[in-house]
Amino acid sequence: MANLGIPQNTIAVLQKYNFNFQKRFGQNFLIDTSVLDRIISAAEITKDDCVLEIGPGIGTMTQYLAESAREVVAVEIDKNLIPILEDTLSEYDNVTVINEDILKVDIAKIVEERNGGKPIKVVANLPYYITTPIIMGLFESHVPLKSITIMVQKEVADRMQVGPGTKDYGALSLAVQYYAKPEIVANVPPNCFIPRPSVGSAVIRLTRFENPPVEVNDEKFMFALIRASFNQRRKTLVNGLTGAGDLHLTKEQVIAALERMKLSPQVRGEALTLEQFALLSRELD
Ligand code: SAM
């Protein structure tokens, strides 16, 4: 099968199957061989790797992954793409396509069956409408993972990478940086896709930490504090945390904890580092 990273080959497949793009599935197919090469090299795929691809589309990146990995499992929600994938991937015997919603698949079971429970790599040009639930689902379910190398909306990649004191800093930055080291590896303009998305894109690699970079007694509690702090960005941390009913914290408790941490009672959540949120969660636990 011809390389689908070349635009004419993708167009030929789309015409052969009279394929209709589904906007609701975030379908923007890659048509740029240098971006595809960049993703594969950033993911450092070797013949030892079992790779999970989310949303293979017509199989463009899947072809590249099949060439470099030992085994590829690709989960695609759109049933109209399944016969196309059978055709475009027919010459590979190391690819399994699963017609399912990635948010409903038991990924830990796939890792167990395909890789003996050893960590896999995730590589994807993600459907942008579910970027956060996919990433958080992978991290929070503690699926054995080495890294996640993904195409996401440029603005979302920026949010994952920044630290305190910038407008993009928020709950997603802290969640990602608790589980992994983020690195943006490429910026990708809309003309690298068919159809063109209305936003810029970026490839980001998230390398999973073996152990979290900060000490936390109760992860759930720390993330509840983080969510409450950023829910009301304009409020001080004291008002944000005491306003969140589910946390059951009093003003006095929060102010005393901040004092012990040598922070002002006027501080806002967006000024705290991950380290400080971890400490705050231990102080308030
Ligand atoms: N990998 C292909 C490429 O790079 O050309 C396609 C990428 S496209 C941005 C996203 C793909 O994810 C589409 O094929 C879409 O049908 C699929 N998709 C959308 N929602 C999904 C879900 N919940 N589970 C699995 N696949 C999904």
Side-chain angles (χ1 to χ4, degrees):
M1 169 53 71
N3 177 346
L4 295 168
I6 295 165
Q8 295 87 310
N9 295 340
T10 281
I11 290 165
V13 168
L14 296 174
Q15 283 174 348
K16 177 175 169 190
Y17 288 93
N18 202 8
F19 180 73
N20 285 318
F21 285 98
Q22 301 271 349
K23 218 173 169 187
R24 71 191 162 115
F25 289 146
Q27 291 176 340
N28 301 95
F29 298 162
L30 259 171
I31 42 164
D32 188 302
T33 52
S34 60
V35 173
L36 286 152
D37 285 333
R38 189 77 196 87
I39 295 172
I40 301 296
S41 77
E44 294 176 358
I45 308 292
T46 72
K47 278 287 167 196
D48 286 335
D49 287 320
C50 174
V51 175
L52 170 68
E53 185 189 9
I54 299 162
I58 59 169
T60 314
M61 193 147 68
T62 328
Q63 293 180 332
Y64 281 69
L65 292 168
E67 297 281 349
S68 26
R70 188 192 80 238
E71 173 157 7
V72 183
V73 179
V75 179
E76 173 57 60
I77 197 168
D78 186 353
K79 68 174 181 349
N80 293 328
L81 286 167
I82 305 305
I84 305 183
L85 287 164
E86 268 164 28
D87 180 4
T88 59
L89 301 173
S90 59
E91 64 192 59
Y92 300 103
D93 59 5
N94 59 344
V95 179
T96 309
V97 175
I98 302 175
N99 184 200
E100 265 272 24
D101 178 345
I102 189 66
L103 298 177
K104 296 190 182 142
V105 164
D106 185 346
I107 302 173
K109 194 167 153 223
I110 294 178
V111 179
E112 193 53 50
E113 285 172 3
R114 305 281 165 170
N115 212 32
K118 292 197 300 295
I120 56 154
K121 290 180 179 168
V122 175
V123 182
N125 170 16
L126 283 187
Y128 294 171
Y129 73 107
I130 43 171
T131 302
T132 304
I134 291 176
I135 297 175
M136 294 321 299
L138 285 167
F139 284 145
E140 284 170 357
S141 60
H142 294 276
V143 169
L145 278 180
K146 277 194 194 133
S147 60
I148 304 178
T149 307
I150 40 175
M151 177 86 71
V152 296
Q153 199 177 321
K154 166 87 179 87
E155 193 195 314
V156 176
D158 289 340
R159 269 194 260 151
M160 291 185 209
Q161 217 193 13
V162 292
T166 56
K167 71 167 179 26
D168 288 332
Y169 185 60
L172 181 66
S173 329
L174 286 153
V176 165
Q177 292 165 30
Y178 177 72
Y179 291 108
K181 179 162 90 64
E183 276 165 281
I184 294 182
V185 292
N187 285 322
V188 183
N191 63 4
C192 295
F193 302 87
I194 180 170
R196 294 179 184 195
S198 52
V199 291
S201 304
V203 179
I204 189 163
R205 175 181 158 135
L206 310 174
T207 311
R208 184 85 163 85
F209 291 130
E210 270 178 37
N211 298 302
V214 293
E215 195 189 316
V216 184
N217 298 335
D218 181 347
E219 278 177 15
K220 282 212 172 98
F221 181 59
M222 179 179 75
F223 284 117
L225 290 180
I226 290 174
R227 267 195 305 278
S229 314
F230 286 97
N231 262 347
Q232 293 146 320
R233 250 192 129 91
R234 298 192 161 273
K235 287 195 179 176
T236 61
L237 188 62
V238 174
N239 287 338
L241 296 186
T242 51
D246 55 335
L247 290 173
H248 309 291
L249 291 169
T250 65
K251 260 193 170 145
E252 292 67 32
Q253 282 173 318
V254 180
I255 291 174
L258 290 177
E259 261 172 20
R260 290 195 296 277
M261 292 170 63
K262 312 220 171 350
L263 289 172
S264 151
Q266 299 304 320
V267 75
R268 288 174 202 273
E270 64 200 22
L272 266 64
T273 61
L274 174 60
E275 185 85 39
Q276 287 171 317
F277 272 112
L279 182 55
L280 183 65
S281 77
R282 298 203 302 272
E283 290 285 346
L284 291 172
D285 197 1

